[in-house]
PDB file of all heavy atoms in Angstrom:
ATOM      1  N   PRO A 397     -15.674 -10.984 -33.210  1.00  0.00           N
ATOM      2  CA  PRO A 397     -15.492 -11.527 -34.548  1.00  0.00           C
ATOM      3  C   PRO A 397     -14.158 -12.110 -34.825  1.00  0.00           C
ATOM      4  O   PRO A 397     -13.878 -12.379 -35.998  1.00  0.00           O
ATOM      5  CB  PRO A 397     -15.749 -10.308 -35.397  1.00  0.00           C
ATOM      6  CG  PRO A 397     -15.081  -9.146 -34.616  1.00  0.00           C
ATOM      7  CD  PRO A 397     -15.276  -9.539 -33.194  1.00  0.00           C
ATOM      8  N   CYS A 559     -16.111  -5.611 -40.955  1.00  0.00           N
ATOM      9  CA  CYS A 559     -15.648  -5.148 -39.611  1.00  0.00           C
ATOM     10  C   CYS A 559     -14.580  -4.087 -39.720  1.00  0.00           C
ATOM     11  O   CYS A 559     -14.042  -3.678 -38.722  1.00  0.00           O
ATOM     12  CB  CYS A 559     -15.063  -6.329 -38.796  1.00  0.00           C
ATOM     13  SG  CYS A 559     -15.965  -7.885 -38.881  1.00  0.00           S
ATOM     14  N   SER A 560     -14.371  -3.613 -40.933  1.00  0.00           N
ATOM     15  CA  SER A 560     -13.138  -2.865 -41.190  1.00  0.00           C
ATOM     16  C   SER A 560     -13.123  -1.458 -40.479  1.00  0.00           C
ATOM     17  O   SER A 560     -12.129  -0.883 -40.332  1.00  0.00           O
ATOM     18  CB  SER A 560     -12.896  -2.702 -42.686  1.00  0.00           C
ATOM     19  OG  SER A 560     -13.930  -1.963 -43.299  1.00  0.00           O
ATOM     20  N   TRP A 562     -14.625  -1.046 -37.453  1.00  0.00           N
ATOM     21  CA  TRP A 562     -14.797  -1.252 -36.005  1.00  0.00           C
ATOM     22  C   TRP A 562     -13.503  -0.989 -35.290  1.00  0.00           C
ATOM     23  O   TRP A 562     -12.391  -1.279 -35.840  1.00  0.00           O
ATOM     24  CB  TRP A 562     -15.287  -2.678 -35.686  1.00  0.00           C
ATOM     25  CG  TRP A 562     -16.604  -3.078 -36.333  1.00  0.00           C
ATOM     26  CD1 TRP A 562     -17.363  -2.291 -37.188  1.00  0.00           C
ATOM     27  CD2 TRP A 562     -17.290  -4.286 -36.273  1.00  0.00           C
ATOM     28  NE1 TRP A 562     -18.436  -2.979 -37.554  1.00  0.00           N
ATOM     29  CE2 TRP A 562     -18.420  -4.234 -37.042  1.00  0.00           C
ATOM     30  CE3 TRP A 562     -16.983  -5.534 -35.586  1.00  0.00           C
ATOM     31  CZ2 TRP A 562     -19.281  -5.299 -37.188  1.00  0.00           C
ATOM     32  CZ3 TRP A 562     -17.865  -6.620 -35.690  1.00  0.00           C
ATOM     33  CH2 TRP A 562     -18.956  -6.479 -36.481  1.00  0.00           C
ATOM     34  N   ALA A 563     -13.591  -0.587 -34.043  1.00  0.00           N
ATOM     35  CA  ALA A 563     -12.404  -0.314 -33.267  1.00  0.00           C
ATOM     36  C   ALA A 563     -11.454  -1.540 -33.221  1.00  0.00           C
ATOM     37  O   ALA A 563     -11.940  -2.602 -32.984  1.00  0.00           O
ATOM     38  CB  ALA A 563     -12.803   0.085 -31.817  1.00  0.00           C
ATOM     39  N   ALA A 564     -10.195  -1.330 -33.463  1.00  0.00           N
ATOM     40  CA  ALA A 564      -9.151  -2.385 -33.389  1.00  0.00           C
ATOM     41  C   ALA A 564      -9.245  -3.435 -34.468  1.00  0.00           C
ATOM     42  O   ALA A 564      -8.594  -4.444 -34.359  1.00  0.00           O
ATOM     43  CB  ALA A 564      -9.086  -2.978 -31.997  1.00  0.00           C
ATOM     44  N   LEU A 565     -10.136  -3.215 -35.409  1.00  0.00           N
ATOM     45  CA  LEU A 565     -10.309  -4.275 -36.512  1.00  0.00           C
ATOM     46  C   LEU A 565     -10.024  -3.663 -37.885  1.00  0.00           C
ATOM     47  O   LEU A 565     -10.521  -4.184 -38.890  1.00  0.00           O
ATOM     48  CB  LEU A 565     -11.721  -4.842 -36.456  1.00  0.00           C
ATOM     49  CG  LEU A 565     -11.951  -5.750 -35.276  1.00  0.00           C
ATOM     50  CD1 LEU A 565     -13.434  -6.047 -35.102  1.00  0.00           C
ATOM     51  CD2 LEU A 565     -11.188  -7.048 -35.386  1.00  0.00           C
ATOM     52  N   ASP A 566      -9.251  -2.560 -37.896  1.00  0.00           N
ATOM     53  CA  ASP A 566      -8.960  -1.890 -39.105  1.00  0.00           C
ATOM     54  C   ASP A 566      -8.774  -2.802 -40.343  1.00  0.00           C
ATOM     55  O   ASP A 566      -7.869  -3.641 -40.351  1.00  0.00           O
ATOM     56  CB  ASP A 566      -7.646  -1.166 -38.876  1.00  0.00           C
ATOM     57  CG  ASP A 566      -7.683   0.235 -39.341  1.00  0.00           C
ATOM     58  OD1 ASP A 566      -8.841   0.660 -39.652  1.00  0.00           O
ATOM     59  OD2 ASP A 566      -6.614   0.893 -39.349  1.00  0.00           O
ATOM     60  N   GLY A 567      -9.601  -2.632 -41.325  1.00  0.00           N
ATOM     61  CA  GLY A 567      -9.439  -3.341 -42.626  1.00  0.00           C
ATOM     62  C   GLY A 567      -9.900  -4.795 -42.588  1.00  0.00           C
ATOM     63  O   GLY A 567      -9.769  -5.531 -43.568  1.00  0.00           O
ATOM     64  N   CYS A 568     -10.496  -5.262 -41.473  1.00  0.00           N
ATOM     65  CA  CYS A 568     -10.856  -6.736 -41.355  1.00  0.00           C
ATOM     66  C   CYS A 568     -12.241  -7.026 -41.872  1.00  0.00           C
ATOM     67  O   CYS A 568     -13.161  -6.206 -41.761  1.00  0.00           O
ATOM     68  CB  CYS A 568     -10.739  -7.185 -39.894  1.00  0.00           C
ATOM     69  SG  CYS A 568      -9.108  -7.266 -39.287  1.00  0.00           S
TER      70      CYS A 568
END
Side-chain angles (χ1 to χ4, degrees):
C559 314
S560 66
W562 302 359
L565 288 167
D566 226 11
C568 290

